[in-house]
């Protein structure tokens, strides 16, 4: 019988070759390799954060301007580049002596403060420097002395030296913890005034009495202007006749109701 297909009598090794790409070395196309030579800078350099393009990967020869860009790597001023753009060496923190570190940890505040915002501290200190010393201010407030506590000074106290109950509680805790330390300037006034009974109502009372005339002046002016306008109307026969006409018409329209038979009406109705 004839031999099976593919098993002829020819010499061994002359059969059909195996398909390409399926042998042990057929693992696909290798990745695109850069054409420019690798560079090893003399020092670690600051990076340029760009997206690298390679011919054969994202660039095609003759289809972009990069094909006409010359290679100038041999002309670079390497020393200047290294000096200008090399990374600075990482700073090594200076080790502190044990005694110095303990000294910093055990450092105590020089003055007592409850106001921590530097801007508020500066604003309050600038305003409170216009006042007498805290103890003198406390005495003047206790005696309601308007000769010492002028309107300007009272307003400064109301804005910058009135401690809230929470402020007072916090200050008492700090005072007990550090009885020998002085208060900062704003806290000196806040603490001194808080020792006066009903200090906030006293400040409000002084401010009211000291500014009473100032507040009444606009009201007085308005009252005088109203009286000047009212006097001609009260003596005007024409205005009285106008009111009479309106009153008669209104009583007629309101006849048979509890709004009729009026002797007058609110002028605002006009």
């Amino acid at each position: 019988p004839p031999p099976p297909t593919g098993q002829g009598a020819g010499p061994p090794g002359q059969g059909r070759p195996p398909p390409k790409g399926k042998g042990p070395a057929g693992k696909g196309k290798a990745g695109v390799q850069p054409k420019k030579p690798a560079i090893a800078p003399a020092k670690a350099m600051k990076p340029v954060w760009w997206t690298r393009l390679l011919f054969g990967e994202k660039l095609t020869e003759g289809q972009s301007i990069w094909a006409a860009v010359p290679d100038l790597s041999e002309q670079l001023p390497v020393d200047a580049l290294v000096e200008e753009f090399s990374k600075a060496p990482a700073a090594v923190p200076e080790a502190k002596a044990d005694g110095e570190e303990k000294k910093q940890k055990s450092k105590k505040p020089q003055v007592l403060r409850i106001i921590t915002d530097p801007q508020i501290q500066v604003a309050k200190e600038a305003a409170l420097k216009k006042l007498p010393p805290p103890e003198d201010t406390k005495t003047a407030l206790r005696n309601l002395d308007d000769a010492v506590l002028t309107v300007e000074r009272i307003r400064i106290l109301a804005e910058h030296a009135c401690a809230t109950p929470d402020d007072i509680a916090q200050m008492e805790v700090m005072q007990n913890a550090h009885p020998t330390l002085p208060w900062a300037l704003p806290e000196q006034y806040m603490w001194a005034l808080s020792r006066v009974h009903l200090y906030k109502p006293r400040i409000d009372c002084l401010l009211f009495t000291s500014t009473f005339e100032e507040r009444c002046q606009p009201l007085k002016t308005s009252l005088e202007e109203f009286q000047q306008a009212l006097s001609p109307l009260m003596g005007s026969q024409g205005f009285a006749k106008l009111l009479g006409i309106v009153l008669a018409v209104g009583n007629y329209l309101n006849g048979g109701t509890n709004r009729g038979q009026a002797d007058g009406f609110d002028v605002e109705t006009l």
Side-chain angles (χ1 to χ4, degrees):
T5 304
Q7 297 182 6
Q14 294 184 2
R16 185 179 300 174
K20 295 183 178 180
K22 295 184 179 180
K27 294 186 178 179
K29 186 179 179 181
V32 176
Q33 299 298 318
K35 295 181 178 181
K36 288 184 168 59
I39 297 176
K43 295 182 180 180
M45 306 296 289
K46 298 177 182 177
V48 179
W49 300 105
W50 64 19
T51 299
R52 185 181 70 168
L53 304 178
L54 296 177
F55 283 106
E57 184 181 54
K58 295 183 179 180
L59 295 177
T60 303
E61 293 285 355
Q63 295 186 7
S64 72
I65 192 174
W66 293 107
V69 174
D71 185 1
L72 303 177
S73 57
E74 297 295 333
Q75 303 178 24
L76 291 178
V78 176
D79 294 340
L81 289 177
V82 170
E83 181 179 356
E84 185 71 22
F85 297 106
S86 62
K87 290 182 178 180
V92 179
E94 183 179 355
K96 296 181 180 180
D98 293 341
E100 182 180 354
E101 186 174 355
K102 291 180 180 179
K103 183 178 179 181
Q104 290 185 355
K105 289 183 178 180
S106 61
K107 187 177 180 181
K108 295 182 179 180
Q110 301 299 318
V111 293
L112 299 180
R113 293 183 182 274
I114 63 169
I115 302 171
T116 57
D117 189 324
Q119 294 183 349
I120 297 179
Q121 291 174 2
V122 171
K124 286 185 177 293
E125 288 177 0
L128 293 171
K129 286 179 180 178
K130 301 176 183 178
L131 299 180
E135 288 300 319
D136 295 344
T137 302
K138 180 180 73 172
T139 302
L141 181 60
R142 180 179 288 115
N143 297 333
L144 298 176
D145 189 348
D146 56 1
V148 175
L149 297 179
T150 62
V151 175
E152 180 186 5
R153 289 175 173 177
I154 296 170
R155 284 173 174 162
I156 291 174
L157 288 179
E159 183 176 357
H160 297 288
C162 282
T164 65
D166 291 340
D167 292 336
I168 296 174
Q170 184 178 355
M171 293 174 73
E172 288 175 347
V173 172
M174 296 182 69
Q175 178 75 9
N176 292 332
H178 307 281
T180 60
L181 290 181
W183 292 108
L185 183 62
E187 285 79 1
Q188 288 182 32
Y189 283 91
M190 294 168 67
W191 180 260
L193 296 190
S194 69
R195 305 302 96 184
V196 178
H197 182 60
L198 298 176
Y199 66 94
K200 186 63 169 64
R202 287 172 181 267
I203 292 176
D204 294 340
C205 180
L206 274 175
L207 186 60
F208 177 82
T209 56
S210 300
T211 59
F212 181 77
E213 291 294 334
E214 178 184 344
R215 296 184 182 188
C216 283
Q217 187 58 43
L219 300 177
K220 182 180 179 181
T221 302
S222 299
L223 179 60
E224 291 175 350
E225 292 175 352
F226 176 76
Q227 290 174 339
Q228 292 174 1
L230 182 62
S231 180
L233 289 177
M234 295 297 292
S236 172
Q237 295 181 357
F239 185 67
K241 185 176 181 179
L242 174 62
L243 292 179
I245 294 173
V246 175
L247 179 63
V249 172
N251 278 331
Y252 181 82
L253 297 177
N254 290 331
T257 68
N258 58 1
R259 294 187 300 276
Q261 298 174 292
D263 296 322
F265 58 89
D266 192 343
V267 181
E268 290 182 358
T269 304
L270 297 178

